[in-house]
Amino acid sequence: MNDINYRSKLDFIIRVGGEGGDGVISCGELFASAAARTENHVFTYITYPAEIRGGFSMIQIRVRDWTIYSMGSKVDYLIVFNQEAYDHTIHDLKPGGVVIYDPDHVQIQKDLEAKFYPIPLTKLAVDLTGGVLGKNVVALGALGELFQVNKKGLHKLLKDRYGQKGDVVVEKNLKLLEAGYSAGKKNKLEKKFHLKTETDSKHNFMMLSGNEAVALGAIAAGCRFVAGYPITPATPIFETLTKLMPKVGGRAIQVEDEIAAISAIIGASFAGEKTITPTSGPGLQLMGEQLNLASMVELPIVIVDVQRGGPSTGLPTKTEQSDLKYAIYGTFGESPRIIIAPSSVEDCFYQTIRAFNLAERFQMPVIILTDQSIGYRKATVQIPDVSNMVAVKREQKSGKIVVPTAGRIEIASRAIANSAELVDYKRFLDNAKTGISPITIPGMAGGQYLATGLEHTEDGKANYTPEVHKQMTRKRFRKLTRLSAILEKNPKEYYGSTKTKIGIIGWGSTEGAIREARYIAEKKGIKIRQLHPKVISPLPETKIRHFLMGLKQVIVVEENYTGQFAHFIKAKFGVVPIEIHKYEGIPITPQEIYAGILKVARIVDEENITRL
Amino acid sequence: MKRTLQDYKSDIKPVWCPGCGDYGVLAALQKALLALEIPPEDIITVSGIGCSGRFSHFLNSYSFHGTHGRALPTAVGAKTAKPDCTVLVAGGDGDGLGIGGGHISPVARKNVDLTYILIDNRVYGLTKGQASPTTPIGTKTKTSPLGVYESTLDVLPVFLAYDVSFIARSISTNMKQMTEIMQAAITHKGMSIVYIMSPCVTFPVLKSKEMKEMYQPLPDSYDPTNKMMAFEMAYKSGPMYSGIFYQISKPTLDEQLDSDFEKATRNNKSKPYSVEEVLNGFA
Ligand SMILES: Cc1ncc(C[n+]2csc(CCOP(=O)(O)OP(=O)(O)O)c2C)c(N)n1
Ligand code: SF4
């Protein structure tokens, strides 16, 4: 059964909205966890205000009996705690959708095509506990009733979450939950889908956020040093790694700023460790000078930029794909680096491992570009099978190392100089084929060398002659040429129809939304070819030309204003793409992309005009 | 085989102006390393940018010459990843007190076990003679043609306020004192700063002859564990003192991280958890 033709029996989207501090997110997350214990897949999307309290905050949860690629488009169920949440989200409700609202705080429009159920969330919470804080658990109870969620399961989740606060708190929450169930019953909620049956058959799945997946990928890759400085929305990666490092014998330090963070990971890499620093746009910007120092002294480091809305402090808690140009070209001088953009929560895990493999093998910085939407997204993913994870030998050619997937994970490390290479050791030996030189680490007798940010000769001595600058610039960039050649041989990253005149290109977190838009289009008879490279720079040029062959129109989808990837594609391949941009701080939906595809299809194929 | 001074020299000859104070500082450091018999392959040297920032080029060690002002945080990473190595940091007053000044306090608070040789010529040498944080008020430099108006940074009291666990001052003409202090600093567990006055002969804000007269060793009776006394002596200007002003013992970053490991693996017989076990923790 292929993805396109799969017909879901269960596929719905819930949105819970309220004020920051209302417990909206935890209500949604608990429901998502309960749904994840059934046969179904779960996918969440969170947006919250930059302030700790106040401001609009919401969580969207999609539940489906099949793989979920995106957060979907319109919403089936809306649970709103206050007027602002209602006003913000009501236009996203599907016609005939369900609204559960707090009648004491929300004024509804009766003439809308929707089913309204008033449940006095706040009043019920106050009556039971004397405070308003429990209203989110009442809402959870109502959702439990609506989808006939196994009550025991929810009890356990509440105990796990509030157990630390003592039995009294747990008891209170169980009562609030019960009140939600009864209120739901009283309202005679119309039940369309049920999440009754918990299952063990999904024991090999777990719910993970993109940020957690990056952190776990780093641990799996053998990274044992992290230095960081807190910044939304990358902080959860740093916090997760800080918690995990001591457990696995690694080390985590919080430092004074992002300059110190990248300096520290360069220092640790010089000392031989696999290293990472998580950050977001403002931090990446501060790292600039050190980033190209790492390129110059040819040390592996991994930087994760969880992009947020910019410029400046911008939209700290919202999503955007607007750091691409800075990542590829940013900083002065010309400094090679590799850019990787994972496409899903699961992919965050595998691409992070790949980032370390590439950093170590090519001795240069790798920037992983994720964004707020994928970082905070939670999805059910298959637990990676690390039992057959293998460390590849030094002699293994980089081109032979597999791209990590659920099927196989190979872990690469830097090629430490052997005894033959230590004779007359040249740290920056100019390898004519690969540009990659043998490296040593402190403690290795006879391997001492100077790593200087000044231009230098093959043996590391400062030298500013025209010949040396020319030779070493080419050497450093040859590594990218080499990588590009390897990418040509990696599995292809485009799919969909081979006989079509329309191509669609995206990068990073939009893969699922584009894929769903393609499915919608294909069901309507519009054939499309989709390209979604994970390594964004360098690109496998021949392969991409192959993808472009025969296409009349190419659409590039991205979440920014200026069309950063489109520029890149235009410059490299001379195509003039049609660009679909969204720059609202929220992810693009399959329907929005489909609307664009439709317009392009009309331009490309006159016949489509009559048929559609 | 007995090591010689030669073993601590790289094959790059220093490029400083003849008479530059930095020659003496480098020689003292090489002597101290020889006296301590530290194998060159176990030494990591990180230096900043400036004339003094070239230190890493001239030492036989794992040497790192990074960017202006960032030697300290780079060294923190190196030490944390390779705690068994001796980590040295070297740089000037512009590098360490100007652009990089913000990094001293965090490293002091972590008490990272490294030795920072801070070489003060009271001027920016490499960029040809502009004012630094330690250029005296009134001095005419290329960026202060009518005289520096900012107050001069009182360096030692700042280090004391940061509670750097080892603080010493010396002068580039006193080879014996420099060497002894450096040995003590390298042996010290925790962050040590050896602050050395070193004249620039080309932009002579600090003059060799005056410097020699200005500084006298701390009295024999001096107790370097008394912080208040250290503050008092650090502020004295007639004469100014040299020697070890302050030395205390407190946990190093390495010790703290080791104890974190013990706590985190208590339920696993003090063995690291496997990747599989970590993943299962999320399932
Ligand atoms: C980011 C940055 N800004 C400015 C410079 C230029 N610069 C190089 S060395 C230096 C000052 C060096 O003074 P100091 O640290 O006192 O060392 P000295 O040369 O006196 O030994 C400056 C401003 C630079 N290299 N990088
Ligand atoms: S300019 Fe001054 S500090 Fe620089 S090498 Fe010459 S004398 Fe030394």
Side-chain angles (χ1 to χ4, degrees), chain A residues 217-257:
Chain A
I219 297 290
C223 167
R224 291 296 177 268
F225 183 81
V226 59
Y229 188 79
I231 184 167
T232 304
T235 307
I237 301 179
F238 186 37
E239 288 175 350
T240 307
L241 282 171
T242 305
K243 200 169 116 200
L244 295 180
M245 279 303 175
K247 290 190 177 198
V248 297
R251 295 184 147 193
I253 53 173
Q254 179 178 334
V255 292
E256 56 273 26
D257 56 32

Side-chain angles (χ1 to χ4, degrees), chain A residues 246-248 251 254 256 259 263-264 266-268 271 290 440-444 447-454 461 464, chain B residues 11 40-42 54 57 60-65 67 70 73-74 77-78 80 82 103 106 110 254 258 261 272-273 278 283:
Chain A
K247 290 190 177 198
V248 297
R251 295 184 147 193
Q254 179 178 334
E256 56 273 26
I259 300 177
S263 302
I266 291 173
Q290 296 299 78
T440 53
I441 52 179
M444 274 176 74
Q448 296 95 295
Y449 73 97
L450 170 68
T452 174
L454 292 167
K461 293 194 174 71
Y464 322 129
Chain B
D11 54 359
E41 66 269 21
D42 292 342
R54 284 293 182 105
H57 290 234
N60 176 19
S61 69
Y62 278 89
S63 304
F64 192 93
H65 180 225
T67 56
R70 313 305 167 196
T74 310
T80 313
K82 265 258 184 281
H103 296 302
K110 286 189 167 66
D254 197 36
D258 276 349
F261 172 75
Y273 287 94
V278 167

Side-chain angles (χ1 to χ4, degrees), chain A residues 289, chain B residues 22 49-52 68 92-95 99 121 123-127:
Chain A
E289 189 189 11
Chain B
D22 293 0
I49 300 288
C51 295
S52 43
H68 195 29
D93 44 312
D95 189 79
I99 190 167
N121 53 14
V123 73
Y124 283 12
L126 188 73
T127 44

Side-chain angles (χ1 to χ4, degrees), chain B residues 35 45 60 62 80 87 98 110 127 132 154 194-195 197 199 203 257 281:
Chain B
T45 314
N60 176 19
Y62 278 89
T80 313
V87 175
K110 286 189 167 66
T127 44
S132 96
D154 268 320
V194 183
Y195 176 51
M197 309 310 299
F203 308 100
L257 294 174

Side-chain angles (χ1 to χ4, degrees), chain B residues 167-213:
Chain B
I167 303 166
R169 177 163 64 192
S170 188
I171 56 175
S172 65
T173 45
N174 191 340
M175 185 63 65
K176 184 161 176 289
Q177 188 190 43
M178 276 194 295
T179 310
E180 280 168 11
I181 288 179
M182 285 176 185
Q183 285 185 50
I186 293 168
T187 317
H188 173 75
K189 287 237 160 309
M191 184 187 196
S192 52
I193 299 188
V194 183
Y195 176 51
I196 299 180
M197 309 310 299
S198 168
C200 168
V201 289
T202 309
F203 308 100
V205 176
L206 173 71
K207 294 180 187 77
S208 193
K209 191 160 165 289
E210 288 164 24
M211 179 182 83
K212 276 191 234 168
E213 284 160 10

